[in-house]
């Protein structure tokens, strides 16, 4: 059983320190001394070399590994299939094997794209997976590799990730609002926007309980509270942004998702049921609108 001593912080190695959730984990306030969070020396080490991966873990000697590294471009994944599988399946397989050999538990981020999106009332962890496209298939096969190689794993599927960092729906929307007179978003695609900082909060809470001996490994779902459409999410972003700056965009238009996602299919519904996480860890969903306000404050305070 894992035990935490108040004199020694729980050390977390983040394999994707430049990814959204990786940055949120590293940016979190850990002044209470419970956690020590470090990023892997490179955002993309030699992913095929088990010895290199083992060396990274030996150097940091973590209590937990959090794998936020992934190839997350849904569109580009259809063109760069080998690269997508390298990040999302093959590297995860090697990392899981090394963690098993060194007895290090892993938290791994996965995606709603392991489902086909035809079930609008909210996917549970037990629902049948029908991955969409190369991205969804690579993430699902990565999950299976992790389950095969490492018993002490915690897979967290998330959806509609946003933050002030990197490329995501929020940052793309702000860029478009500064250059385009009309913006479009799908009104028939539903999901729950989820901030990277909120996911970091969940990961810290999970690790603390697992480290204290909670025997609740497995696959879980988390997303922000309140179901939205892409169009409603865009409205919320736009309404907040226009209070802070003069935007080029003068109108928003809702359109069917088929007009926007011709290059790669997205789930019509990305709603995730989060009751298992609440039941086993006592973690409640936070409203995405509150999280959006925090992120927008961070953007404009800079």
């Amino acid at each position: 059983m894992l035990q935490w001593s108040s004199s020694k912080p729980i050390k977390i190695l983040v394999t994707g320190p430049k990814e959204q959730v990786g940055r949120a984990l590293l940016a979190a306030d850990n002044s209470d001394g419970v956690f020590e969070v470090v990023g892997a020396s490179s955002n993309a080490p030699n992913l095929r070399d088990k010895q290199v991966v083992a060396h990274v873990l030996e150097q940091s000697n973590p209590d937990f590994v959090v794998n936020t590294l992934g190839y997350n471009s849904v569109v580009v994944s259809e063109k760069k299939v080998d690269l997508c599988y390298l990040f999302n399946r093959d590297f995860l397989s090697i990392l899981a094997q090394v963690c098993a050999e060194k007895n290090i538990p892993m938290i791994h981020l996965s995606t709603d794209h392991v489902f086909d999106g035809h079930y609008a009332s909210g996917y549970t962890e037990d629902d049948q997976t029908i991955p969409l496209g190369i991205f969804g298939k690579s993430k699902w096969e990565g999950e299976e590799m992790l389950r095969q190689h490492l018993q002490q794993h915690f897979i967290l599927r998330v959806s509609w990730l946003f933050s002030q960092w990197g490329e995501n729906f929020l940052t793309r929307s702000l860029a478009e609002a500064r250059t385009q007179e009309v913006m479009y978003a799908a009104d028939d695609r539903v999901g729950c926007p989820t901030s990277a900082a909120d996911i970091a909060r969940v990961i810290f809470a999970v690790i603390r309980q697992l480290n204290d001996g909670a025997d609740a490994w497995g696959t879980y779902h988390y997303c922000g509270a309140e179901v939205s459409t892409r169009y409603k999410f865009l409205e919320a972003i736009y309404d907040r942004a226009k209070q802070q700056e003069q935007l080029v965009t003068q109108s928003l238009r809702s359109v069917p998702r088929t007009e926007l996602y011709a290059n790669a299919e997205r789930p019509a519904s990305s709603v995730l049921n989060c009751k298992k996480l609440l039941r086993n860890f006592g973690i409640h969903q936070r409203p995405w609108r509150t999280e959006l306000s925090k992120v927008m404050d961070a953007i404009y305070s800079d």
Side-chain angles (χ1 to χ4, degrees), residues 24 49 52 124 129 142 145 163 223:
D49 194 325
V52 171
T124 71
T129 53
M145 290 294 100
S163 70
C223 58

Side-chain angles (χ1 to χ4, degrees), residues 216-256:
W217 308 94
T219 302
Y220 290 82
H221 291 171
Y222 184 78
C223 58
E226 184 191 342
V227 177
S228 175
T229 64
R230 276 299 198 194
Y231 180 76
K232 289 180 180 179
F233 188 29
L234 177 61
E235 276 188 321
I237 295 168
Y238 178 74
D239 288 345
R240 183 62 187 270
K242 70 181 181 182
Q243 297 175 23
Q244 300 289 333
E245 61 175 303
Q246 186 69 37
L247 300 173
V248 171
T249 295
Q250 298 299 311
S251 64
L252 308 178
R253 296 182 185 176
S254 59
V255 294

Side-chain angles (χ1 to χ4, degrees), residues 11 58 63 80 96 100 109 121 136 146 193 223 242 271 285-286 288:
K11 190 171 186 181
E58 288 167 2
D63 298 303
K80 297 186 177 181
L109 288 185
S121 63
L146 178 54
C223 58
K242 70 181 181 182
V271 179
Q285 294 169 269
R286 284 186 175 174
W288 63 261

Side-chain angles (χ1 to χ4, degrees), residues 47 50 67 85-99 106 141-142 144-146 148-150:
L47 302 180
K50 187 176 179 180
N67 182 44
Y85 274 100
L86 171 61
F87 275 83
N88 295 344
R89 181 193 63 191
D90 301 341
F91 167 67
L92 183 55
S93 176
I94 292 172
L95 182 62
Q97 292 174 53
V98 173
C99 284
M106 189 199 307
E141 292 183 23
E144 290 286 81
M145 290 294 100
L146 178 54
Q148 176 182 330
H149 294 300
L150 181 63

Side-chain angles (χ1 to χ4, degrees), residues 102-120:
K102 299 182 179 301
N103 195 29
I104 302 173
M106 189 199 307
I107 315 295
H108 169 67
L109 288 185
S110 190
T111 175
D112 59 288
H113 280 247
V114 300
F115 301 110
D116 64 5
H118 294 153
Y119 184 49

